[in-house]
Amino acid sequence: MGDSSSPGSAASAEYLETFQSQLEDDTGIVAVAAVRALTAVLRLSQASTIMGINRELEEAQKVLIGVRQKLLQSGGGARTRTPIPLECACELFRRYVTRTSLEIPDMEQCKTILIERGEQFAQKALQSRHTISVLGQQFIRDGMKVFTIGKSRTVLDVLCEVQRRNRRFEVIVPETRPDELGYQMAEELVALNIPVKIIHDFAVASIMEDVDLVLVGAEGVLENGGIINLVGTYSTALVAQAMKKPFYVAAESYKFSRKWPLSQQEAAYPSRDAEKFRPLRDVRPASLGRYNSCSVRWKGFCVTRTVCYVM
C-alpha cells in the first residue's frame, strides 16, 4: 500500500537548485546532474513506503525533464541537444528503487542504501569518459583515418587518448548541418594538433573507401542494440556496412535506454522551423549492428546483440 507523500515546493526548489548547479559545473554531464538531484529527493523524502518513494522520484523526473526541455528550447548554447540522456539516467536510477525494495525490508535502511548508490553512480558517470577513452584508444592504430559525426565529447576524449600515446592519425568529419557541429569538432581537434578534414554531408559515400573505421557517440543506446544519434548516423552506418568498415559507438552505460522508437520521425527531434522539417536525430537500427558494430562503454565492450543482456 502506498502513501500520499509528494515533494513539496521547498524540496522541489532544493533538488532543482542541485540540478541546475550541476549543469553549470565544469563537467556539465546531465546524467550526473539528474542523479544528484534525484539523490537529493531521497534525502528530503518523507515517504514511508517504496511506492511513495517511486511516486516522488517519478514526479521529480518529470520536473527535471521539463526544466531541461525549456533550456533546450530557449537556445542557451545547447539547442542541438535532446533530453534523451536525462531520461535514460532517471529511468536507470529509478530501477535501483525496485531492486533495493526486494533486498531490504527496512525503509530507512533502504533509503540510506539508495542514497549511497546514487552517489556511487554519479562518481562512475564522472569517470566514465576517461574509462571509455582508455578502452577505445586500442581500436585506432598508427596511420589510420577515423570518421566521426558531429561533436561528441566522448569521441573527443578517445581521440585525445590516442594522440597522448603518440600515434599518428587523421579525423574526417562532415559538416553536420543544420547546426554545423562538424566545424565545432574540427576546431577542437585543430586546437589539439590532430589533423582533421571537413567534408560535405553528402560526401560520406565518396570518402568512406579511404576510411579505416567509424567512431561515433550516441544520445541513447536502445535495448535492441540500435542507437539514437545526430542525423546522418544511420546513412553513415549504411555506407560503412556496404564498404565493410568497422563501426564503433562510444557511449556511457547511463545512456542505455528501454525506448523503442517506432519510426525515424519519432526520434527526429526536429528543429523549430515552420517551413521545413529538419530532423536533428535519427536511429541506426539494431539490424545494421549484426555486421559491423560494437559499443564501447565504461564497463567494457559489447556487440549489438548483447545490449539487452547488459541493461
Side-chain angles (χ1 to χ4, degrees), residues 61-118:
Q61 176 180 339
K62 291 177 181 177
V63 172
L64 294 178
I65 291 174
V67 170
R68 182 64 171 165
Q69 286 178 329
K70 286 181 180 178
L71 175 63
L72 298 177
Q73 289 170 1
S74 65
R79 65 193 181 94
T80 59
R81 300 178 188 172
T82 68
I84 295 174
L86 172 60
E87 294 171 1
C88 295
C90 289
E91 289 295 335
L92 182 61
F93 185 86
R94 287 179 57 203
R95 286 206 291 273
Y96 275 130
V97 174
T98 304
R99 190 179 73 176
T100 303
S101 66
L102 296 175
E103 297 172 354
I104 309 296
D106 181 76
M107 195 62 206
E108 290 305 314
Q109 187 180 1
C110 179
K111 286 182 183 178
T112 300
I113 291 176
L114 280 174
I115 292 170
E116 290 176 355
R117 286 180 175 175

Side-chain angles (χ1 to χ4, degrees), residues 57-206:
L57 291 175
E58 186 175 0
E59 291 176 3
Q61 176 180 339
K62 291 177 181 177
V63 172
L64 294 178
I65 291 174
V67 170
R68 182 64 171 165
Q69 286 178 329
K70 286 181 180 178
L71 175 63
L72 298 177
Q73 289 170 1
S74 65
R79 65 193 181 94
T80 59
R81 300 178 188 172
T82 68
I84 295 174
L86 172 60
E87 294 171 1
C88 295
C90 289
E91 289 295 335
L92 182 61
F93 185 86
R94 287 179 57 203
R95 286 206 291 273
Y96 275 130
V97 174
T98 304
R99 190 179 73 176
T100 303
S101 66
L102 296 175
E103 297 172 354
I104 309 296
D106 181 76
M107 195 62 206
E108 290 305 314
Q109 187 180 1
C110 179
K111 286 182 183 178
T112 300
I113 291 176
L114 280 174
I115 292 170
E116 290 176 355
R117 286 180 175 175
E119 292 172 347
Q120 290 171 1
F121 183 93
Q123 287 302 314
K124 287 183 178 180
L126 285 171
Q127 299 167 3
S128 61
R129 286 181 187 153
H130 173 70
T131 305
I132 291 172
S133 68
V134 174
L135 291 170
Q137 58 81 23
Q138 61 188 286
F139 293 103
I140 303 175
R141 298 186 298 276
D142 198 51
M144 277 190 163
K145 291 185 178 181
V146 181
F147 186 95
T148 190
I149 295 176
K151 181 185 176 183
S152 166
R153 288 179 290 185
T154 309
V155 170
L156 189 60
D157 284 352
V158 174
L159 299 176
C160 288
E161 182 65 23
V162 177
Q163 186 199 44
R164 193 181 69 81
R165 294 169 186 257
N166 297 318
R167 294 183 204 146
R168 296 168 301 157
F169 64 98
E170 181 183 7
V171 178
I172 301 171
V173 58
E175 297 169 313
T176 321
R177 294 179 183 276
D179 296 289
E180 299 184 343
L181 293 176
Y183 287 102
Q184 297 180 31
M185 183 66 162
E187 288 177 4
E188 296 273 1
L189 293 170
V190 168
L192 295 167
N193 294 318
I194 297 176
V196 59
K197 178 189 295 183
I198 301 176
I199 65 170
H200 195 282
D201 286 337
F202 297 137
V204 174
S206 301

Side-chain angles (χ1 to χ4, degrees), residues 218-275:
E219 292 277 355
V221 180
L222 307 181
E223 187 175 11
N224 65 351
I227 65 167
I228 300 176
N229 196 40
L230 290 169
V231 65
T233 302
Y234 183 17
S235 57
T236 298
L238 286 170
V239 174
Q241 182 184 46
M243 297 192 178
K244 296 181 172 55
K245 303 294 182 179
F247 187 100
Y248 298 105
V249 181
E252 302 89 331
S253 294
Y254 58 73
K255 290 183 178 178
F256 280 35
S257 170
R258 294 191 181 277
K259 282 179 171 291
W260 288 72
L262 300 178
S263 66
Q264 292 291 335
Q265 287 73 24
E266 188 176 342
Y269 285 92
S271 60
R272 300 174 306 282
D273 192 321
E275 298 179 355

